[in-house]
Amino acid sequence: QVQLVESGGGLVQAGGSLTLSCAASGRAFSTYAIGWFRQAPGKGREFLAATRWSGGPTDFADSVKGRFTISRDNAKNTVLLQMRSLKAEEAAVYYCAAAMRTGAGYEYWGHGPQVTVSS
């Protein structure tokens, strides 16, 4: 089991920046990758970014490429999602999720902080 707790959500003005944190516990050392997703009211869940727990290439959705950064702090079992130039339509609940092995999908999910972007 892996437990994920996100923090850092809140209110930001359009064009502003916000950093979300995902802290992993439990079998965090066995994690293959951490991904970030969001879901706005009435919409499906959208993939944003992912990083392997051990390092290596990162992956970003086209909609956030160049504006969002994902980084790891393995000593703290934490993954950060740094977001800048936020748009009003990016208001959503943001989730981090853990994949335990390649090709298996994301098995563990956090509860997600709300990010509100005011225009």
Side-chain angles (χ1 to χ4, degrees), residues 15-92:
S17 300
L18 200 64
T19 297
L20 302 180
S21 176
C22 176
S25 61
R27 288 178 53 214
F29 58 90
S30 297
T31 302
Y32 172 71
I34 294 287
W36 281 96
F37 299 77
R38 67 187 175 197
Q39 187 164 18
K43 295 187 177 181
R45 190 166 57 203
E46 177 188 9
F47 168 80
L48 300 175
T51 182
R52 293 183 187 177
W53 194 253
S54 60
T58 53
D59 188 24
F60 293 92
D62 288 342
S63 60
V64 305
K65 202 170 291 184
R67 297 187 298 120
F68 288 18
T69 303
I70 190 169
S71 60
R72 302 161 8 260
D73 185 340
N74 291 99
K76 297 181 180 179
N77 287 347
T78 299
V79 174
L80 300 179
L81 182 69
Q82 296 171 292
M83 308 181 290
R84 61 182 180 86
S85 301
L86 284 162
K87 307 170 187 177
E89 57 266 32
E90 295 185 298

